[in-house]
């Protein structure tokens, strides 16, 4: 039984890979030596770093200030909760 898209029992013709063609392991990277692969890796790193949008000094200062304020608030919150729970434990367990 088939439908318009195909079924699991009968895959589409384009999905079937020819069995006569051998696939080699590694692809293009299989031919290159370790130094060439390392050089390619570093070139790709540099290419990706060029795509990064770096923040300006003003944005960086703002982000850093927000993070520091958030961390200080969280430290205060955890300290208050810890102090309250420790006093509650002392009250209950004496």
């Amino acid at each position: 039984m088939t439908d318009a898209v195909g079924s699991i029992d009968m895959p589409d013709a384009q999905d079937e890979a020819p069995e006569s063609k051998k696939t080699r392991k590694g692809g293009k990277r299989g031919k290159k030596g370790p130094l060439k692969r390392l050089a390619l890796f570093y070139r790709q790193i540099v290419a990706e770093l060029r795509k990064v949008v770096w923040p300006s000094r003003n944005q960086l200062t703002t982000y850093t200030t927000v993070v520091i304020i958030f961390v200080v608030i969280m430290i205060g919150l955890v300290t208050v909760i810890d102090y309250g729970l420790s006093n509650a434990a002392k009250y209950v367990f004496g």
Side-chain angles (χ1 to χ4, degrees):
M1 186 159 111
T2 62
D3 55 2
V5 179
S7 70
I8 296 173
D9 297 331
M10 300 175 68
D12 296 336
Q14 65 215 20
D15 292 341
E16 295 178 9
E19 295 177 15
S20 63
K21 187 177 181 181
K22 288 187 176 180
T23 58
R24 70 175 173 218
K25 290 184 179 179
K28 291 182 180 179
R29 284 184 272 160
K31 291 182 178 180
K32 297 180 181 177
L35 292 178
K36 287 187 179 180
R37 286 187 292 176
L38 189 62
L40 174 65
F41 177 69
Y42 283 117
R43 281 196 306 271
Q44 289 173 346
I45 289 174
V46 170
E48 287 297 320
L49 285 175
R50 286 186 180 146
K51 295 178 188 178
V52 174
V53 178
W54 298 99
S56 66
R57 183 173 292 275
N58 190 21
Q59 289 173 330
L60 189 62
T61 305
T62 303
Y63 298 156
T64 304
T65 305
V66 168
V67 168
I68 290 173
I69 290 172
F70 177 77
V71 168
V72 167
I73 289 172
M74 292 307 294
I75 288 172
L77 182 66
V78 169
T79 302
V80 168
I81 291 172
D82 183 47
Y83 181 75
L85 288 176
S86 68
N87 281 344
K90 286 179 186 176
Y91 178 76
V92 171
F93 298 112

